[in-house]
Amino acid sequence: AGVEVGASRNDKVMVAGNLFNEIAGSSSTSVVRLASQARPSILNNRMVGAAVGISSRDDAQPKIEGNSFGQIASFGVENSDNDTCVEVMRQWWGDPSGPKDPRKGVRDACGPDIINESGTGAPASDGVRYLPWLTMAPPAAPMLESPQCGVTNQGRVDVVGYTSPEAQVQVFDNDQPVGQPFPAGSDGRFSFDMTLTDGAHALSFEARASQKLSDGTSFNAVSPRSGYRRIAVDSQSKVDPMGLRFLYGGAAAPRAQRLRDVTGCSVGCGG
């Protein structure tokens, strides 16, 4: 099952920055299903492996932007309300040619001229205005190699990982952006250090890239949020749990394993 969004006429509800993969169910199961008159923002999500990406009905009027659809069996966006036009511009439909829409001369709530006979991406239903669309996928969600979560006495941590080539990586702490984005290299790898004050930090990361739309204009595409790390800094601690290593294997084949708790985070002895 996917996500059902209610909150009739509430435009403050948001579904953003998620990775939805392999949503099991029937041939009509949706990743995101909108209730009657819903007004949410559905932004920068990746939806892969489902019957329907987003299902809209009964005068729902969502803001849908920057999402990507892959391996969708029926519709990337489905609108079952014949009297409402749902705006879904600036999506990635899984192919540069845009959504599959072979209708010709069919009049619906979006008008008679919304057709894309050459599109081979995820299909769009009647009552969906999808022009313009993204001509390439949004940047990949950043994958982090460092730092790990846990406790440290160090105020500076190394951030290392990879995303799409030359994307800009933005750091968030407690959902607030930190400084300016850092550029990834031509191979998609990024490496920088950041300063953390004493106390608790909830880090997350997203990638951004300027990409072309089907009408020749540009759009700042954003990846889903990823790389979540909870880090506690205690500069008064005499031991750095993040720096502890368990050495084994002998001199001929030495190995090192970070000391972690059952959740994979660094903790002090007895923590």
Side-chain angles (χ1 to χ4, degrees):
V3 176
E4 174 135 4
V5 181
S8 176
R9 298 186 183 279
N10 186 343
D11 61 3
K12 295 183 180 180
V13 176
M14 182 177 294
V15 180
N18 299 286
L19 291 163
F20 296 104
N21 191 42
E22 300 298 332
I23 304 300
S26 69
S27 60
S28 62
T29 299
S30 305
V31 176
V32 180
R33 180 178 175 85
L34 306 182
S36 176
Q37 299 181 335
R39 303 286 192 273
S41 295
I42 305 174
L43 312 172
N44 310 325
N45 301 284
R46 184 184 178 200
M47 306 179 191
V48 179
V52 179
I54 302 170
S55 177
S56 180
R57 58 193 169 104
D58 299 337
D59 195 32
Q61 294 184 356
K63 176 183 178 181
I64 303 176
E65 187 174 76
N67 302 283
S68 62
F69 306 104
Q71 300 175 31
I72 300 295
S74 296
F75 293 106
V77 179
E78 179 183 32
N79 179 19
S80 59
D81 184 347
N82 294 329
D83 299 321
T84 301
C85 179
V86 175
E87 305 280 354
V88 295
M89 298 175 286
R90 297 177 286 276
Q91 319 295 320
W92 168 247
W93 297 87
D95 190 89
S97 63
K100 182 179 180 180
D101 181 14
R103 298 169 300 153
K104 197 167 187 177
V106 176
R107 179 177 292 276
D108 59 24
C110 296
D113 56 344
I114 308 297
I115 61 172
N116 185 32
E117 292 182 287
S118 61
T120 60
S125 78
D126 294 350
V128 171
R129 180 175 285 124
Y130 48 77
L131 292 167
W133 60 79
L134 282 165
T135 58
M136 64 182 299
M143 301 298 292
L144 248 64
E145 299 170 358
S146 173
Q148 67 186 93
C149 54
V151 181
T152 181
N153 63 1
Q154 301 297 307
R156 295 179 72 86
V157 296
D158 294 326
V159 178
V160 180
Y162 57 93
T163 179
S164 296
E166 299 180 350
Q168 299 286 316
V169 179
Q170 177 66 59
V171 183
F172 293 82
D173 191 355
N174 294 308
D175 281 334
Q176 298 301 311
V178 178
Q180 297 298 311
F182 294 87
S186 59
D187 58 355
R189 296 195 63 82
F190 57 86
S191 177
F192 54 88
D193 58 48
M194 61 182 300
T195 300
L196 300 177
T197 59
D198 271 29
H201 299 269
L203 304 182
S204 57
F205 303 80
E206 70 181 23
R208 303 171 178 176
S210 179
Q211 295 181 341
K212 290 293 184 182
L213 296 168
S214 59
D215 63 358
T217 61
S218 296
F219 174 69
N220 190 29
V222 179
S223 77
R225 195 83 64 85
S226 63
Y228 291 91
R229 297 289 190 275
R230 289 193 175 274
I231 297 175
V233 179
D234 179 8
S235 61
Q236 301 303 310
S237 174
K238 294 182 179 180
V239 176
D240 177 18
M242 277 193 184
L244 296 177
R245 301 290 188 274
F246 175 62
L247 303 178
Y248 64 101
R255 298 185 179 183
Q257 174 66 53
R258 290 177 176 175
L259 186 64
R260 302 178 180 181
D261 65 8
V262 292
T263 69
C265 296
S266 298
V267 294
C269 294

